[in-house]
DNA sequence: CTGGCCTGTGAGGAGACCGTCACAATGAAC
DNA sequence: GTTCATTGTGACGGTCTCCTCACAGGCCAG
């Protein structure tokens, strides 16, 4: 991860650089718009922190210029706190707009949020198609195959299996499962959950796919 | 574009809904966490605006719950203005954090910025001419041929088939289909969708092209 | 060992859902 | 105005889902 910081105010710049270093993010500092564009082309940073008040050119022009050739994330840092400034910045392609003075932890958090969003790699747990040995679960098409044979699951059964399998290996509490799969936190008869687990076990053949953890809930994983 | 708004304060909710309508963004409003999770599952919105102060459950739990199954953008709306709140929200997966009161234009600009960033990958489904085995769908000339033979579809039938086939293999929810093909976010006990699906099936001969997924919606794909 | 609590299982019924159909509303063509 | 294609709606019946209940069996503490 490398951050390009464009900022001419030395005190702001030094605290930002320090904050980035603390968060283990590599960074390069430049103090003008022309330097910014040159460094951007040279470094191909993962994100740009851009001050709007630069000595040589308008910050929005720097932003536009970068946007014309790249979709690298840009976070605007500015002393101006008017809504119209924020709207304009976001409309010309900035990803976020932070008003000075800002906290370092918030800056880091916003950097992470923007980079997380812009890097296309999806985390394993939210992938549409997941495989567990011979078992394959595709949440996009809502189909399950075991050893290449498709097995039909009812809506609730599928939702439950899908939810449990996203956290394969972890014990999930009954209340948590009910909340997330039944989308309500009503704790009626908890036998409903048992009944659906039983149905899934029956269809998967080996009951070891879903293990009961007495007093807590259930755990999904490959049978041993 | 469809926005799910989770907000229990009526005055905030109504101004947000109005702002979204002005910006030509379809929206659904719910006032509790439970409803939020249910509506999220049903509607598959493009973005969620989430108030942290909900009557029935903690907003951060709603955020986490959505994140556990989806990467849909989330913007937090909150009255709390402490840095630590913003940091926590961003770290559990929110994409942005807006402090009340906020301007409508800024909200819209931030929605656009976040959605722009999250939907960079254009799937090939936007292609005008698509082939699925012997079936060929040309959305530019609005013609469909099956085994080189042209089949006539009425406007609505074509729109529906076109929409379903763009996401071949995926299960599309009834509410989502109604929203996108009928351009209304009213969904209830209507047989309209079923009637049109039946008509398409009749014309395609093999009913396997469009499979019903009970309780969810329909899935388009090559018959087995 | 024993009692209490937790879990597994099967049956059953209320209600939800889907396919089909007939018919009404709509609107364009003539 | 008439006609016709298209689209929306509601009723109906068959089927499926899911919640609940009752009972059996297992696990753990005392």
């Amino acid at each position: 991860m490398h951050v390009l910081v464009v900022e001419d105010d030395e005190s702001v710049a030094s605290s930002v650089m320090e904050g980035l270093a603390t968060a283990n993010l590599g960074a390069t500092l430049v103090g003008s718009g022309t330097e910014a564009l040159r460094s951007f082309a040279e470094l191909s940073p993962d994100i740009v922190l851009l001050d709007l008040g630069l000595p040589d050119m308008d910050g929005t022009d720097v932003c536009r210029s970068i946007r014309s050739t790249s979709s690298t994330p840009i976070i605007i840092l500015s002393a101006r706190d008017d809504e119209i400034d924020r709207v304009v910045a976001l409309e010309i392609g900035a990803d976020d707009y932070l008003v000075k003075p800002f906290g370092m932890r918030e800056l880091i958090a916003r950097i992470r949020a923007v980079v997380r969003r812009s890097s296309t790699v999806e985390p394993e747990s939210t992938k549409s198609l997941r495989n567990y040995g011979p078992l394959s679960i595709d949440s996009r098409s809502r189909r399950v195959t075991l050893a290449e044979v498709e097995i039909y699951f009812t809506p609730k059964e599928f939702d439950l299996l899908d939810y449990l399998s996203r956290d394969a290996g972890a014990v999930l509490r009954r209340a948590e499962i009910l909340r997330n799969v039944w989308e309500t936190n009503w704790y009626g008869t908890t036998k409903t959950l048992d009944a659906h687990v039983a149905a899934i076990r029956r269809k998967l053949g080996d009951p070891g796919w879903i293990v009961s953890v007495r007093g807590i809930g259930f755990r999904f994983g490959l049978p041993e």
Side-chain angles (χ1 to χ4, degrees), chain A residues 6-216:
Chain A
V6 187
E7 170 67 69
D8 67 321
D9 180 325
E10 286 194 15
S11 74
V12 175
S14 68
S15 72
V16 167
M17 293 301 281
E18 193 186 316
L20 293 174
T22 309
N24 255 326
L25 299 172
T28 300
L29 174 67
V30 298
S32 73
T34 47
E35 284 178 275
L37 294 178
R38 188 175 44 221
S39 295
F40 180 83
E42 203 169 315
L43 294 169
S44 298
D46 299 296
I47 183 168
V48 178
L49 304 185
L50 178 62
D51 177 26
L52 281 191
L54 295 171
D56 59 337
M57 57 193 287
D58 192 308
T60 57
D61 287 335
V62 176
C63 181
R64 259 189 283 262
S65 179
I66 291 175
R67 262 294 160 280
S68 67
T69 60
S70 154
S71 65
T72 303
I74 300 173
I75 297 182
I76 300 287
L77 310 178
S78 167
R80 304 199 46 157
D81 193 10
D82 294 330
E83 183 183 5
I84 186 65
D85 294 318
R86 294 200 288 272
V87 170
V88 167
L90 294 168
E91 277 179 357
I92 62 174
D95 290 273
D96 206 341
Y97 187 107
L98 259 164
V99 176
K100 299 178 194 174
F102 45 79
M104 261 330 120
R105 285 180 304 173
E106 178 171 4
L107 175 63
I108 301 298
R110 287 193 180 266
I111 289 173
R112 288 197 203 286
V114 168
V115 170
R116 179 208 311 145
R117 175 58 70 193
S118 72
S119 64
T120 47
V121 280
E122 298 227 335
E124 187 71 16
S125 59
T126 59
K127 271 187 8 186
S128 158
L129 177 63
R130 281 159 292 130
N131 292 293
Y132 309 93
L135 183 69
S136 167
I137 301 174
D138 187 349
S139 54
R140 197 175 86 98
S141 60
R142 297 182 66 92
R143 302 216 279 195
V144 177
T145 57
L146 179 61
E148 314 300 327
V149 181
E150 180 164 358
I151 303 178
Y152 174 73
F153 286 91
T154 70
K156 268 283 178 294
E157 287 165 8
F158 182 87
D159 288 342
L160 176 56
L161 177 59
D162 188 47
Y163 180 72
L164 290 176
S165 65
R166 277 180 200 283
D167 247 331
V171 177
L172 297 165
R173 299 179 169 280
R174 302 177 84 95
E176 196 178 346
I177 297 170
L178 285 171
R179 218 183 41 234
N180 284 285
V181 177
W182 272 259
E183 280 142 18
T184 171
N185 38 6
W186 117 116
Y187 305 103
T189 319
T190 71
K191 293 274 87 187
T192 302
L193 177 51
D194 296 88
H196 282 88
V197 168
I200 294 173
R201 283 176 174 152
R202 204 176 313 127
K203 292 184 180 179
L204 287 181
D206 191 333
W209 286 100
I210 300 179
V211 179
S212 305
V213 180
R214 195 184 168 81
I216 311 292

